[in-house]
Amino acid sequence: MTSKANNNLNWEIIIGLEVHAQVVSNSKLFSGMSTTYGGEPNTQVSYIDAAFPGMLPVINKFCIEQAVRTGLGLKAKINMESVFDRKNYFYADLPAGYQISQFENPIVGKGQVILDMPDGTIREIGITRLHLEQDAGKSIHDSNSANSYVDLNRAGIALMEIVSEPDMRSSEEAGLFLKKLRTILRYLGTCDGNMEQGSMRADVNVSVRRYGEELGTRCEIKNVNSIRFVQQAIEYESKRQIKEIELGNKIVQETRLFDPKNFETRPMRSKEESHDYRYFPDPDLLPLKLSQTWIDQISKSLPELPDDRKQRFCSEYGLSIYDSGLLVDDKETADFFEEVVLKRDPKLVANIVLGDFYGFLNKLGQNINNSRVSSKSLGELIDLISNKIISGRISKEVLEIMFQTGQSPKEIVEEKGLKQISNIDEIEKIVDTILDENIEKVNEFKNGKEKLFGFFVGQVMKKTEGKANPQLVNEILTKKLNKN
Ligand code: ADP
Ligand code: MG
C-alpha cells in the first residue's frame, strides 16, 4: 500500500518547542519554602503558595540569577527590565486563580542553540525567549475512587519557559535540540534536566507545508515528558496533518495530548475553547530591573560551555569532532576524560572511555559516579597498554575485573599473569612450534593462500592465551613464512 499520504517527500515538517525547565533552587520563586522532590503531600507549602489572602510574593534573587545564567548560556539577549504578569485561569491546583508568569516583557530575549547533525553539518535553532513563571500544584485523582486531592508542594516552584522559533524540520532535529538544551542547562547547573521527574517537559508545536509554501496551521501537543515521546508525537502528528490536507481538509489549530501507549495524539481543546488568560501586570510586584554589573558578574562565573569545550577537545587533544561531541555531551564524561587524559595519549583515552569503559557501564547499569572504576585506575590501565605490558585485547578482560572487584589493574595483571609476552625469543619459539604443527597449511600459504596468515596469528594467540604482543607476532610470522 503506497498511499500518497505517507509520501513525505513533498512535505516539510515545521516544529517549534516550548520547554518548561524547573530551576535548580532550594526555595520557590516567590516564597522561602523548600522545593525538595518527593516530600509528603502538602508539607512544603507556605501561605503564599497556598494563596492565603493578604500574602505578598517576594522575588527569589537566586532564581533570577539562574534565569540570567541560562540566558547567557543560550547566547541570548538579557532584558534589563522585565515584568511579572498574572495569567488568570481557574483550576483546583491553582489556589490563587492565577499563575505569576511573564508575557510581553520576559527576562530573556532572542538566543540560539547549535545542533551537530550526524552528517557533520550544523543547524542553528533560534530561541525566541525565556521567561520565569510559577509551577502549579498537582491534582491526584487515582488514590481513591471517591475523592480527588490536591498536593501543593510543587505550587510556586520556579520554572523557566524556553520557547524556540519554528526552526526544526524533523523529529530527529527536535530530539537533538532537546538533548543539546538539556546538556547546556546541566553545564550551567540551572536545571537538572531530569525528564522522568518532570523537571524538564515540552509542549510540541507541529505544522506541515508543501515545500516553498507559507507556514501552515499548527497543533500544540502539551506536556510531553520524554525525548522519545516528543519524537513519536511529531511522527504521528505530521503524518496525520499531511493526510488531512491531502484529503482536502483544513488543519484546525488545537491543543492535543500524546498517548504513549498507542503512539498517537488526540484533541484536547480547540482554539475557540482555549483560555483567555487576561494577562495583566501583577500589582504586587514591581518591574524587575537588572544592573549591567550584576549581569557581567554572572557572565564571568559561567563554566566553559559544551560548544566551546568541544572545539577545545578537537584542537587541544587532536580528537575528531565526532568523538569530542560524544565526550562533551555529558559534563561528567568530559570531566572524567580530562582527569584520565593528563600526560596520556588522548586518542587512546577517548577510545577506551567511549568504547570499553562505557560499554561496561551500560551493561552493568552503572554511571561514572557509582562505578568502582575511578579515573585514576582507568588511567593506570591505559598506562599498562601504552607501556606494552598488556595488549588491548587483554585490557578489556582486566577492565571487566576492575568493574567487578574495584582492584587496581596492576594487581589484576600480576595476580592473573596477564602480562603481555614481548620477548622476541619466546614468541619465535611459539611461532616455530605452530608452524611445525601445521606444515600442510604452511605449504598452502607459500603456494599463494595468503588468507592463512590470520589462522597462524590466531593459533599463536590461542597458545599464549591472548598475551603475545600482536605486533611482534605479525612481524615474526611475516619473516618466517616468507623465508624459503
Ligand atoms: P502561543 O503563545 O500561543 O503558544 P507562540 O507564537 O508563542 O504561540 O508560539 C508558540 C510555539 O509555536 C513556538 O515554539 C513557535 O516556534 C511555534 N510555532 C509558531 N508557529 C508555528 C507553525 N506554523 N508551525 C510549528 N510551530 C510553530
Ligand atoms: Mg504555547
Side-chain angles (χ1 to χ4, degrees):
M1 211 180 68
T2 48
S3 108
K4 212 180 147 204
N6 289 323
N7 181 359
N8 278 356
L9 284 179
N10 303 322
W11 292 94
E12 191 174 23
I13 304 171
I14 314 287
I15 302 146
L17 297 173
E18 298 164 85
V19 178
H20 285 96
Q22 184 179 319
V23 175
V24 170
S25 159
N26 292 330
S27 49
K28 297 184 177 180
L29 183 52
F30 296 110
S31 83
M33 192 46 71
S34 163
T35 60
T36 310
Y37 179 80
E40 282 290 304
N42 297 311
T43 54
Q44 292 159 204
V45 189
S46 75
Y47 290 124
I48 294 172
D49 310 324
F52 272 46
M55 302 312 298
L56 290 175
V58 178
I59 194 134
N60 179 340
K61 186 173 178 186
F62 183 76
C63 292
I64 303 293
E65 182 179 338
Q66 302 311 296
V68 172
R69 272 174 86 75
T70 307
L72 293 169
L74 298 172
K75 315 273 184 241
K77 177 169 185 289
I78 309 299
N79 291 326
M80 304 304 283
E81 186 168 333
S82 66
V83 174
F84 284 97
D85 298 286
R86 289 187 181 179
K87 178 177 180 180
N88 300 281
Y89 64 93
F90 295 96
Y91 202 74
D93 61 18
L94 188 74
Y98 60 83
Q99 174 192 33
I100 305 178
S101 180
Q102 300 192 297
F103 190 49
E104 273 167 2
N105 300 289
I107 184 165
V108 174
K110 284 194 185 311
Q112 63 169 19
V113 169
I114 292 171
L115 308 186
D116 291 291
M117 302 307 292
D119 65 1
T121 58
I122 271 175
R123 291 269 294 132
E124 275 176 28
I125 307 300
I127 296 294
T128 317
R129 58 186 277 157
L130 175 157
H131 70 250
L132 276 168
E133 63 185 30
Q134 302 173 295
D135 206 347
K138 203 167 79 183
S139 297
I140 303 164
H141 302 293
D142 53 6
S143 74
N144 80 42
S145 55
N147 302 305
S148 283
Y149 297 89
V150 176
D151 174 9
L152 293 179
N153 283 353
R154 214 175 60 182
I157 288 182
L159 300 178
M160 298 180 280
E161 178 167 334
I162 302 166
V163 182
S164 88
E165 294 287 310
D167 284 349
M168 285 158 269
R169 294 292 175 268
S170 64
S171 57
E172 183 190 30
E173 284 185 9
L176 289 172
F177 173 82
L178 287 169
K179 280 187 197 146
K180 186 61 176 283
L181 179 62
R182 185 172 63 183
T183 299
I184 294 171
L185 294 172
R186 285 179 172 164
Y187 266 71
L188 294 164
T190 56
C191 167
D192 65 26
N194 199 333
M195 295 186 87
E196 304 83 64
Q197 292 183 2
S199 40
M200 196 174 130
R201 44 195 201 258
D203 298 343
V204 187
N205 295 272
V206 180
S207 69
V208 299
R209 66 176 171 194
R210 290 191 176 84
Y211 281 93
E213 282 179 353
E214 301 272 290
L215 282 186
T217 305
R218 70 188 156 102
C219 289
E220 178 175 359
I221 307 147
K222 278 281 179 202
N223 241 330
V224 189
N225 64 359
S226 92
I227 293 177
R228 194 160 47 90
F229 291 166
V230 167
Q231 294 184 306
Q232 288 168 346
I234 292 168
E235 291 297 326
Y236 176 87
E237 181 59 18
S238 55
K239 289 203 182 89
R240 183 188 73 83
Q241 292 183 12
I242 292 170
K243 205 159 142 193
E244 287 292 330
I245 298 173
E246 291 195 330
L247 286 170
N249 300 328
K250 282 211 155 52
I251 301 301
V252 219
Q253 186 171 341
E254 62 185 2
T255 307
R256 299 175 70 89
L257 278 181
F258 179 65
D259 170 1
K261 284 202 191 79
N262 298 307
F263 307 111
E264 62 180 27
T265 67
R266 283 200 298 269
M268 200 168 121
R269 56 174 185 261
S270 72
K271 191 167 182 165
E272 288 73 52
E273 303 161 62
S274 78
H275 301 291
D276 177 357
Y277 292 119
R278 294 168 196 267
Y279 280 99
F280 64 88
D282 190 319
D284 291 338
L285 290 159
L286 291 168
L288 176 68
K289 292 189 181 159
L290 308 179
S291 82
Q292 191 58 51
T293 328
W294 191 57
I295 296 172
D296 292 344
Q297 263 173 28
I298 298 173
S299 186
K300 280 200 203 96
S301 77
L302 292 192
E304 183 183 29
L305 289 164
D307 289 325
D308 298 330
R309 199 171 196 187
K310 188 180 66 193
Q311 288 309 328
R312 181 169 65 79
F313 275 25
C314 290
S315 55
E316 187 175 332
Y317 300 122
L319 298 179
S320 69
I321 286 263
Y322 181 78
D323 282 350
S324 305
L326 288 179
L327 288 168
V328 306
D329 266 353
D330 173 37
K331 183 169 185 293
E332 277 154 5
T333 308
D335 291 344
F336 186 87
F337 170 80
E338 293 216 88
E339 283 163 29
V340 181
V341 82
L342 292 169
K343 296 191 203 136
R344 298 195 171 98
D345 171 11
K347 280 181 192 157
L348 180 61
V349 176
N351 281 342
I352 297 221
V353 169
L354 293 170
D356 291 343
F357 178 70
Y358 254 84
F360 282 122
L361 280 183
N362 291 338
K363 197 169 134 194
L364 299 168
Q366 298 178 350
N367 61 50
I368 281 188
N369 296 322
N370 66 16
S371 101
R372 304 179 87 160
V373 180
S374 65
S375 56
K376 183 165 167 278
S377 60
L378 192 71
E380 287 169 12
L381 178 71
I382 289 166
D383 289 341
L384 294 179
I385 306 171
S386 299
N387 299 334
K388 305 207 177 339
I389 293 171
I390 57 172
S391 68
R393 200 180 117 175
I394 291 288
S395 80
K396 193 167 173 173
E397 202 178 316
V398 177
L399 186 57
E400 182 161 24
I401 302 172
M402 288 163 68
F403 269 103
Q404 285 159 358
T405 64
Q407 275 174 294
S408 87
K410 276 198 196 113
E411 242 171 67
I412 297 167
V413 169
E414 288 295 333
E415 208 170 272
K416 309 247 166 196
L418 294 172
K419 266 198 190 142
Q420 179 160 264
I421 305 169
S422 291
N423 180 318
I424 297 181
D425 293 340
E426 198 174 335
I427 296 177
E428 277 195 340
K429 247 186 236 155
I430 297 163
V431 168
D432 286 338
T433 324
I434 297 291
L435 298 184
D436 285 346
E437 285 169 1
N438 295 282
I439 291 179
E440 258 172 55
K441 290 220 165 64
V442 172
N443 286 332
E444 283 176 45
F445 179 90
K446 290 189 172 165
N447 290 328
K449 201 170 170 191
E450 291 185 5
K451 274 201 309 215
L452 281 170
F453 193 80
F455 165 82
F456 296 119
V457 174
Q459 291 299 307
V460 177
M461 284 303 180
K462 200 167 153 196
K463 198 154 216 128
T464 58
E465 294 170 313
K467 285 182 288 187
N469 178 326
Q471 205 182 329
L472 288 178
V473 173
N474 269 304
E475 283 168 19
I476 293 168
L477 268 172
T478 310
K479 194 178 74 192
K480 301 224 174 215
L481 284 167
N482 293 323
K483 228 169 36 192
N484 288 318

